[in-house]
Amino acid sequence: MFNSIWQALAAHPEFIAMLTIPPVTAFVTWAHVWMALEMLFRPIRFWGIRIDGLPFGLKGLGWQGIVPAKAGKISGIIVDQTLSKLGNLDEFFRAMEPEEMAEFITATVDKNLEQLIDEIMYERHQGLWNTMPYAIRRRIYAHAHKELSVIMKALVMDLTYNVESLVDMRQMIVRKMESDRKLMVDMFLRVGKKEINFIWKISALIGFGFGIIQMGIFYFVPEHWTVPFFAAIWGALTNWIAIWMVFNPVEPRHIPFIRVFRRDANGIHFMVPHLHRYTWQGGFMKRQDEVSSVFAEIVVNELVTLENIMHEMMYGVKAGETRTLVKKHLYDLLEAPVVATSLKVGMTSRELDEFKDTIIDKSIDATMVPIRDPKLNTSRASKIFGLFESRIRALSPQEFQNLLRPAFKEDEMTLVVLGAITGLLAGWLHLLAVFF
């Protein structure tokens, strides 16, 4: 049968040109899938000529990777569909052990407390501070040192209890991703590295299969237009099938078959034929345990970090409410007799109010210095890593796929159309180079 098929093909007037269809289709498919994946993530910033006022959100003549271009929208989807199901900021912040954080912040601020007081006084009322007796200044320093740990602990605990009202986790993460679009790309590449490599590698095999089909079509319909026409179809189908195979089936499906051999590191071993089951599930879905660790590491070290949470508190949209809390605790220090008496002697009521505002601003800035400490952030990340990892593993398959799916779903049709266009162009080049 094979010989008769081969003889029939060999008798075709364009037999040699027909034989080139499968390998050319395989190579072109592999190349355009690689290009599509590159265009999905790169370049990070728009490359080309910017033109304002274009429709459909176009930035001009050029390209920006789909993921970095839509970092805000995609990260919002991830938060809404996945991260929000892992817990809330109140729970995460408490797991960071705020009492320990307060001790660390206190120890750091206390080292530079006198310098901070001097800086505030010289900035706002240098004359008063210069003329103030040294003994009184020492009493103010001593009182601040004594009260700092109590105030800081009360403040940190108060911020902990109110973290949900002071920080919008969705807004915090979206803002972080929009300000660091490379982080978004790196996250997807780390989480979906194996799936991206799978799409790239399987594309050549799929393309070769389509090439054999196209060779058969050309045998029965020997029209040259069929070469670029079907090349465009195969280009679109290859991209769609490759993406589909990564995420589908979402739920595992068990397919019975007769098993006659097994393969391990030592080679292939034949077995007594017996009924076996093959578990069919999307490539990404099978790796839930493995991906859980990778994604949890990214979240605790880059997104839901102590620094990000506190920065959003102090400088975000709810900064006014945070200042109110800080003011409440600092005013207890300022109303102490040794401090209040010294300040009221040399300041008017208006100057005193302005002075208190300056203290709040400087105190917030001073507090953020230890908050940015890498060791503190790393230690807090280690305390919530296990929490995130276990909960990602416990996600349903439908929820889990949303860690990576938004990157492809956002512009899946773009990738499919791109496959069709590159397939069409490659088909014409193949036609001109081989058939004519």
Side-chain angles (χ1 to χ4, degrees):
M1 179 180 176
F2 178 77
N3 287 335
S4 60
I5 293 175
W6 179 259
Q7 290 174 359
L9 290 173
H12 195 282
E14 293 184 289
F15 172 63
I16 300 300
M18 285 173 57
L19 285 181
T20 65
I21 293 177
V24 169
T25 305
F27 174 77
V28 169
T29 303
W30 173 84
H32 82 65
V33 167
W34 172 83
M35 183 177 68
L37 291 173
E38 284 293 302
M39 294 179 72
L40 185 65
F41 298 106
R42 296 182 180 86
I44 303 295
R45 301 184 182 279
F46 179 79
W47 185 87
I49 302 172
R50 287 187 175 272
I51 302 175
D52 296 330
L54 291 178
F56 310 113
L58 297 176
K59 298 181 179 181
L61 298 176
W63 185 258
Q64 182 180 15
I66 293 171
V67 169
K70 299 190 176 181
K73 183 176 181 180
I74 294 175
S75 58
I77 294 172
I78 293 174
V79 174
D80 293 339
Q81 299 186 6
T82 302
L83 283 180
S84 61
K85 296 178 174 62
L86 302 180
N88 54 52
L89 274 180
D90 177 69
E91 186 178 12
F92 302 147
F93 207 65
R94 288 174 188 271
M96 291 182 183
E97 300 185 1
E99 293 89 350
E100 285 187 8
M101 293 191 296
E103 291 176 4
F104 183 90
I105 296 169
T106 299
T108 305
V109 174
D110 192 62
K111 293 176 184 177
N112 303 303
L113 185 58
E114 294 179 20
Q115 180 182 342
L116 176 63
I117 293 172
D118 288 342
E119 180 183 330
I120 294 172
M121 292 303 299
Y122 283 131
E123 181 179 318
R124 299 298 303 185
H125 290 279
Q126 183 176 354
L128 172 63
W129 197 240
N130 284 332
T131 57
M132 186 175 292
Y134 184 71
I136 295 178
R137 288 165 62 175
R138 293 305 308 168
R139 288 179 63 190
I140 293 174
Y141 291 149
H143 180 71
H145 281 297
K146 179 183 176 182
E147 297 297 321
L148 180 63
S149 62
V150 177
I151 291 174
M152 192 58 68
K153 182 177 180 180
L155 174 59
V156 171
M157 295 309 297
D158 211 357
L159 292 174
T160 301
Y161 297 141
N162 292 279
V163 66
E164 285 291 336
S165 62
L166 297 175
V167 178
D168 183 331
M169 183 168 71
R170 186 184 193 279
Q171 196 171 53
M172 177 184 76
I173 292 175
V174 168
R175 185 180 291 112
K176 175 67 175 177
M177 290 297 194
E178 286 183 329
S179 64
D180 187 358
R181 295 173 190 267
K182 186 177 183 299
L183 172 61
M184 168 68 86
V185 171
D186 290 343
M187 183 186 78
F188 277 112
L189 291 178
R190 285 178 63 189
V191 171
K193 182 178 180 180
K194 290 187 177 180
E195 285 63 46
I196 291 168
N197 287 337
F198 168 79
I199 292 174
W200 186 25
K201 292 174 182 177
I202 197 68
S203 62
L205 183 60
I206 296 173
F208 190 82
F210 281 145
I212 293 175
I213 296 173
Q214 185 172 344
M215 188 172 65
I217 292 173
F218 189 81
Y219 177 81
F220 291 105
V221 186
E223 297 289 341
H224 289 156
W225 63 265
T226 62
V227 176
F229 175 77
F230 282 102
I233 293 177
W234 307 144
L237 279 177
T238 302
N239 281 9
W240 181 82
I241 291 172
I243 295 172
W244 187 90
M245 290 176 69
V246 170
F247 301 102
N248 294 279
V250 175
E251 300 284 350
R253 296 181 184 177
H254 304 291
I255 302 172
F257 70 98
I258 303 297
R259 189 174 188 180
V260 295
F261 67 89
R262 64 181 176 85
R263 187 177 64 176
D264 56 26
N266 298 319
I268 296 176
H269 309 279
F270 288 95
M271 310 167 62
V272 176
H274 64 284
L275 188 64
H276 197 72
R277 290 198 313 171
Y278 171 74
T279 301
W280 182 31
Q281 191 180 19
F284 182 65
M285 314 310 297
K286 285 182 179 180
R287 296 198 307 119
Q288 184 159 353
D289 285 349
E290 180 185 348
V291 170
S292 297
S293 298
V294 176
F295 189 71
E297 183 182 349
I298 294 170
V299 171
V300 302
N301 287 304
E302 302 289 351
L303 300 178
V304 186
T305 67
L306 173 61
E307 181 181 350
N308 288 347
I309 294 171
M310 292 296 288
H311 187 276
E312 185 68 20
M313 272 188 189
M314 301 300 185
Y315 306 112
V317 293
K318 300 289 185 68
E321 296 177 31
T322 304
R323 284 176 60 87
T324 301
L325 276 179
V326 174
K327 185 185 297 184
K328 182 182 75 173
H329 292 280
L330 287 181
Y331 274 20
D332 292 339
L333 174 65
L334 296 176
E335 293 303 320
V338 65
V339 178
T341 302
S342 302
L343 296 180
K344 289 177 181 177
V345 168
M347 297 186 196
T348 65
S349 177
R350 180 180 177 181
E351 288 175 332
L352 188 59
D353 289 338
E354 292 176 350
F355 176 73
K356 288 179 179 180
D357 287 337
T358 300
I359 288 180
I360 293 172
D361 292 336
K362 295 288 186 181
S363 299
I364 289 174
D365 292 340
T367 302
M368 286 303 297
V369 172
I371 289 295
R372 297 187 183 100
D373 186 276
K375 290 183 179 179
L376 179 62
N377 279 271
T378 300
S379 65
R380 298 312 99 183
S382 66
K383 293 182 181 297
I384 61 173
F385 173 78
L387 179 65
F388 271 99
E389 183 184 36
S390 61
R391 292 187 178 178
I392 295 172
R393 286 180 176 174
L395 290 173
S396 69
Q398 190 66 44
E399 293 168 335
F400 175 70
Q401 75 161 343
N402 288 325
L403 293 180
L404 187 62
R405 188 75 176 106
F408 293 92
K409 196 171 185 178
E410 179 62 26
D411 272 277
E412 188 171 302
M413 189 52 61
T414 301
L415 299 178
V416 172
V417 171
L418 181 64
I421 293 172
T422 53
L424 180 67
L425 294 175
W428 276 112
L429 290 175
H430 183 205
L431 185 65
L432 295 173
V434 179
F435 284 82
F436 291 156

